[in-house]
Amino acid sequence: LTIYFFLRGATSPRGRGWFAMSVVSCFLGMGSKEVMVSAPIFVLLFDRALLAGSFRAALRQRWRIHAGLFSSLGLLAFLMTTITKFHSNPGVGIKTLAGTVQYIATMPSVYCYYLLRTVWPTPLCFDHYWHRAVTATDLLPYVVPVACAIAATVWAFIKCPAWSLPGLGFLLILAPTSSIMPMPDPVCEYRVYLPLTLLLSAGV
């Protein structure tokens, strides 16, 4: 809804109402799910790639809207702080530096698994026992394809911005759970449901 209302506002001669609903939707999303942290960033990238043509033009034309969307991150920060304060286990996994590094090193294999399941969704598993990366052998086979995919996305963002949006959205939506913040379960297939819509859109 945040993206849809933003698009309607940007393409309507009287877009204030649409923009207002976009900001309200973003705040409601922040109160619903942590993954919404990626929404304001994606909307700005979306604006740059498909509407304004550059970050400077996007901010010059619609800086108030983007400021409103990014301000919703304050609500998310407040809610997460409150949850951490009143609950002993906020849902985060290993908190040591070694655990964080190991989690990050495990992510390339997770991303490869997600991409393979996107193309061929079998076998699926509700509760994975995932091998965490310990040695370079665990890491290297997966780093190259993931690095190539990220490089292709960055190249597309520079040369053909519209085609970079599926890759950027895929990475942004997965980032809260599949990057530097250790989670109890490195792999959960439901995390790919939303990013999958972007890849399917590119395929269609």
Side-chain angles (χ1 to χ4, degrees):
L1 285 176
T2 299
I3 298 168
Y4 172 74
F5 289 144
F6 179 86
L7 179 59
R8 290 299 300 269
T11 56
S12 171
R14 296 182 179 179
R16 289 187 177 181
W18 293 112
F19 284 138
M21 287 191 288
S22 177
V23 173
V24 169
S25 296
C26 199
F27 270 88
L28 292 174
M30 294 296 176
S32 304
K33 192 73 173 175
E34 294 90 337
V35 72
M36 273 294 290
V37 69
S38 60
I41 304 170
F42 184 77
V43 170
L44 179 59
L45 295 173
F46 181 90
D47 194 0
R48 185 267 185 192
L50 294 180
L51 300 172
S54 68
F55 285 120
R56 180 177 295 180
L59 294 176
R60 184 178 66 252
Q61 297 170 18
R62 289 177 280 274
W63 69 268
R64 292 181 180 85
I65 313 306
H66 290 294
L69 294 173
F70 275 92
S71 69
S72 65
L73 295 174
L75 173 62
L76 178 62
F78 169 76
L79 292 174
M80 292 188 69
T81 303
T82 305
I83 291 171
T84 304
K85 184 185 296 184
F86 289 101
H87 297 274
S88 59
N89 179 16
V92 179
I94 306 171
K95 296 183 180 179
T96 64
L97 177 61
T100 301
V101 171
Q102 186 186 52
Y103 191 83
I104 295 171
T106 304
M107 285 303 101
S109 65
V110 173
Y111 274 84
C112 287
Y113 175 81
Y114 286 158
L115 290 172
L116 285 173
R117 296 290 79 75
T118 298
V119 178
W120 190 258
T122 184
L124 300 177
C125 179
F126 181 76
D127 187 15
H128 288 274
Y129 179 77
W130 199 258
H131 176 70
R132 295 177 183 266
V134 178
T135 65
T137 306
D138 299 328
L139 177 64
L140 290 178
Y142 305 103
V143 166
V144 174
V146 171
C148 288
I150 293 174
T153 302
V154 173
W155 179 88
F157 187 70
I158 297 171
K159 297 294 184 179
C160 187
W163 283 101
S164 69
L165 289 177
L168 290 170
F170 188 88
L171 294 172
L172 280 172
I173 296 170
L174 284 176
T177 56
S178 305
S179 57
I180 61 173
M181 181 70 74
M183 305 293 288
D185 300 311
V187 177
C188 290
E189 287 156 1
Y190 66 81
R191 293 172 185 163
V192 195
Y193 293 168
L194 188 56
L196 182 59
T197 61
L198 292 160
L199 299 183
L200 287 175
S201 298
V204 171

